[in-house]
Amino acid sequence: MEVTPVERLFQLLDETTCLLEKELDCTYLDALIETGENVFQNHVLQSEVSEMTKKRLEKAYNEIHRLSFTREDIRKAFQLVCLKGMRKNVQPHHQMTPDSIGFFLSYLIGKFLPEKESLSILDLAVGTGNLLTTILNQRPNASAKAYGVELDELLIKIAYVNANLQEHSIQFYNQDSLKPLLIEPVDVIVSDLPVGYYPNTFLSEPFELQSNHDHSFIHYLMIEQGMKYTKPGGYLLFIIPNNLFEGTESKQLHGFIKKHLHIQALIQLPRTMFKDQRLGKSILVLQRKGEGIKGPKEVLLAHLPSFKDKGAMETMMAKINRWFVENKK
């Protein structure tokens, strides 16, 4: 059976990562960062590897450079190697946003900003960079200023290598997303929101959405932070838990959104994506208020069917496209 470009690139990245993992006595993900940097530089940078390992690495890297891979081939293969590494070193916050969600977010950005050839975009929880590069790859003819913020040092190193291999110019910031950012307001914010309590009560004090009782919700604070770094009229696309607007604290969130933002859409992701329905997620699309910026006549509310159900998805897309015609004139 013929091997696809993604499969072959995965094999080469996995093989070289395993060699470096053993030779450098490090974790699989750390070795992946090393091999990714070697591919990018087209050179074995680790002086401590044996001559035999160096030759095996060079042979694999030469094949990678000889073969032709698209950005999407590279992203998908790199994602598969990352997933293998994450399974070996399980950490709950090392999760990757599924491709189907990235494709759908990219479609929504194109619909909300159809005239925008040059786009500035910021991911406040960039992780390995998979979501951000998925979106960028779906807009091959548009120029983009892209930014990613990530506190986890390992994840941001992976994101850096990932972006280099795909030849995306992304500025990364290794810091807490809720601290002041050295980034000008952007056209679009995207983020698969982390969910839970934010431990730093001192940092949360200036936020309107800080809790009056105990620790604040990090997902609330991230929405407020995103608003601060969005241009007037710009859009914020968040992947949120389905129960975001439930509970006693949600009244505060409702008030904040009403004051600063227009809700454009709330789209529930397919139930089939989640084994436990209590962990179901939705896409929330907000627009920052500004002079002359009007909200939609009605909010787009939708519940997506399984992405695999072609007929049901076509019906849903027709409904969504109709909403854009009627509400985004």
Side-chain angles (χ1 to χ4, degrees):
M1 199 166 80
E2 192 177 340
V3 176
T4 66
V6 172
E7 288 168 335
R8 185 57 189 144
L9 183 54
F10 167 77
Q11 289 168 355
L12 291 165
L13 289 173
D14 180 48
E15 175 193 327
T16 53
T17 298
C18 288
L19 282 170
L20 286 168
E21 179 186 20
K22 189 175 179 182
E23 193 88 2
L24 302 175
D25 191 23
C26 63
T27 68
Y28 185 91
L29 288 175
D30 282 321
L32 173 59
I33 292 165
E34 297 286 340
T35 207
E37 192 64 20
N38 288 349
V39 173
F40 182 65
Q41 302 283 353
N42 198 15
H43 180 66
V44 178
L45 300 167
Q46 300 74 30
S47 58
E48 61 267 48
V49 300
S50 68
E51 199 58 38
M52 185 185 291
T53 298
K54 186 179 179 182
K55 283 178 180 174
R56 289 176 68 185
L57 290 170
E58 285 174 342
K59 184 183 176 187
Y61 297 148
N62 286 336
E63 184 175 345
I64 290 172
H65 286 284
R66 193 175 69 249
L67 297 171
S68 180
F69 298 108
T70 66
R71 280 177 167 172
E72 270 296 275
D73 290 339
I74 296 166
R75 184 191 65 76
K76 287 174 181 175
F78 197 82
Q79 178 191 34
L80 290 171
V81 197
C82 280
L83 287 169
K84 177 180 175 180
M86 287 174 182
R87 277 196 291 270
K88 293 179 81 168
N89 306 279
V90 178
Q91 291 191 46
H93 65 290
H94 288 185
Q95 301 289 334
M96 296 178 87
T97 308
D99 285 359
S100 50
I101 298 177
F103 296 147
F104 193 74
L105 284 182
S106 183
Y107 155 78
L108 288 174
I109 291 168
K111 296 297 283 186
F112 279 108
L113 293 157
E115 310 298 325
K116 205 77 178 165
E117 287 182 13
S118 180
L119 193 74
S120 53
I121 183 168
L122 162 63
D123 188 337
L124 285 170
V126 76
T128 64
N130 190 57
L131 174 62
L132 186 55
T133 55
T134 300
I135 291 168
L136 294 175
N137 286 350
Q138 299 309 303
R139 299 173 58 83
N141 300 320
S143 63
K145 273 189 176 179
Y147 308 90
V149 184
E150 177 56 54
L151 181 60
D152 188 296
E153 196 173 332
L154 175 66
L155 293 183
I156 204 161
K157 283 179 181 175
I158 294 171
Y160 170 76
V161 169
N162 194 5
N164 279 346
L165 292 179
Q166 294 180 62
E167 298 182 349
H168 282 304
S169 178
I170 302 173
Q171 287 186 37
F172 291 108
Y173 296 83
N174 183 199
Q175 68 165 85
D176 186 328
S177 300
L178 297 175
K179 286 184 176 178
L181 306 174
L182 291 170
I183 300 171
E184 292 294 316
V186 296
D187 300 307
V188 180
I189 297 277
V190 294
S191 189
D192 190 341
L193 288 182
V195 176
Y197 290 105
Y198 184 60
N200 193 328
T201 49
F202 176 75
L203 263 184
S204 64
E205 274 181 12
F207 285 80
E208 288 181 48
L209 287 171
Q210 70 151 331
S211 174
N212 299 320
H213 311 295
D214 200 357
H215 287 305
S216 304
F217 285 135
I218 189 168
H219 38 300
Y220 282 17
L221 300 179
M222 290 279 275
I223 290 172
E224 182 172 344
Q225 184 77 330
M227 184 274 295
K228 290 177 187 172
Y229 289 90
T230 308
K231 295 175 183 176
Y235 290 91
L236 304 93
L237 291 89
F238 293 118
I239 300 164
I240 61 166
N242 286 344
N243 63 358
L244 181 78
F245 293 106
E246 297 171 12
T248 53
E249 299 274 350
S250 65
K251 189 177 177 184
Q252 191 181 9
L253 179 62
H254 277 287
F256 176 84
I257 289 175
K258 192 174 180 183
K259 180 180 175 184
H260 297 286
L261 302 152
H262 295 298
I263 296 181
Q264 293 284 345
L266 184 60
I267 302 167
Q268 196 170 329
L269 291 166
R271 286 196 179 96
T272 50
M273 293 186 77
F274 308 96
K275 289 177 184 174
D276 186 342
Q277 293 309 305
R278 291 172 297 180
L279 302 177
K281 293 192 174 186
S282 298
I283 295 170
L284 174 65
V285 183
L286 303 166
Q287 184 179 30
R288 182 167 184 176
K289 289 183 176 179
E291 195 175 337
I293 307 296
K294 293 180 180 177
K297 294 169 192 169
E298 60 177 317
V299 174
L300 170 60
L301 298 173
H303 188 155
L304 295 182
S306 168
F307 286 117
K308 294 175 184 174
D309 188 337
K310 193 178 175 188
M313 270 307 293
E314 283 175 357
T315 303
M316 178 55 70
M317 296 307 280
K319 176 191 169 184
I320 292 172
N321 287 332
R322 209 160 44 241
W323 181 88
F324 276 100
V325 170
E326 293 167 1
N327 286 271
K328 303 304 290 178
K329 290 172 183 173

